[in-house]
Amino acid sequence: MSQIPIHTPLLVFEPNNWFLTGKEVNTSLKTIGQLKGVFIDENSRIAMNQDLPVYSVQTFQPSDDSAPGGLSIGNTTIYPGKVGNEFFMTRGHLHAKADRTEFYWGVNGNGLILLMNNDGDCRVEKMFAGSIHYIDRFHAHRVVNTGSVPLSFGACWPSDAGHNYEIIEQLGFTTRVMDSKHGPVLI
Ligand code: PAN
Ligand code: ZN
């Protein structure tokens, strides 16, 4: 009989609910009450149930390895919904080390990823189960759920990238995704 042990994997991506499970997975939730200033219609946001979940994020960083060369992996689920006419979305960020890249891949649902460069130009790509998105250096990134079911996507990024949210709080994204009688529109 073989002496070589066979280990269970560190993580499992549950195919039924698109959740990462594993010992050191960190899970956090963003609610309406935590997203002040993110949506254009702040009065509508204030009038909503502040505990309503907008998105959950799961991350795994092997052995707290934030030295260059380490990778982190995550899964984000954005619930369907709107603030006023604006679809639920992530806060969006630039990496603190802005030259760090990232891959996102769609797992469930339908939406859009916004990729904004230093000049404020936004590239918008469709996200769906199976779509793969490369987030290039110096590009802020945000995902919008334009559908009626949860939008889940995976992400893999260098562990030393860090997250800069302040720049988005100050400058915002130049493109927003609103609902209209003709469906989602970019403004
Ligand atoms: C992702 C994001 C995640 C949540 O893991 O952090 O989707 O979006 P916000 O961080 O913008 O709220 C990632 O891009 N990591 O680098
Ligand atoms: Zn990122």
Side-chain angles (χ1 to χ4, degrees), residues 30-132:
K30 284 276 175 278
T31 60
I32 281 289
Q34 294 169 322
L35 295 174
K36 184 174 175 214
V38 170
F39 297 92
I40 202 165
D41 186 348
E42 187 60 6
N43 288 338
S44 290
R45 188 193 67 85
I46 290 167
M48 293 170 76
N49 173 0
Q50 299 297 290
D51 296 328
L52 188 70
V54 178
Y55 63 97
S56 75
V57 186
Q58 298 185 285
T59 56
F60 176 76
Q61 184 176 313
S63 322
D64 273 341
D65 180 6
S66 53
L71 288 175
S72 292
I73 192 162
N75 181 59
T76 302
T77 297
I78 310 174
Y79 301 103
K82 287 181 277 187
V83 175
N85 288 326
E86 192 170 16
F87 292 105
F88 280 7
M89 60 187 178
T90 58
R91 288 164 76 192
H93 60 270
L94 188 67
H95 291 150
K97 287 190 167 71
D99 63 350
R100 298 306 194 256
T101 58
E102 182 165 10
F103 271 116
Y104 277 7
W105 57 94
V107 172
N108 183 70
N110 285 283
L112 297 170
I113 178 171
L114 312 181
L115 303 160
M116 186 173 74
N117 69 15
N118 282 337
D119 297 329
D121 299 327
C122 261
R123 175 183 166 84
V124 183
E125 295 178 359
K126 277 186 191 172
M127 187 180 265
F128 50 88
S131 65
I132 295 180

Side-chain angles (χ1 to χ4, degrees), residues 136-165:
D136 208 348
R137 296 171 175 79
F138 308 108
H139 279 69
H141 37 292
R142 162 179 281 170
V143 174
V144 185
N145 183 355
T146 56
S148 53
V149 299
L151 170 65
S152 277
F153 62 94
C156 185
W157 65 97
S159 298
D160 68 348
H163 297 83
N164 178 348
Y165 294 101

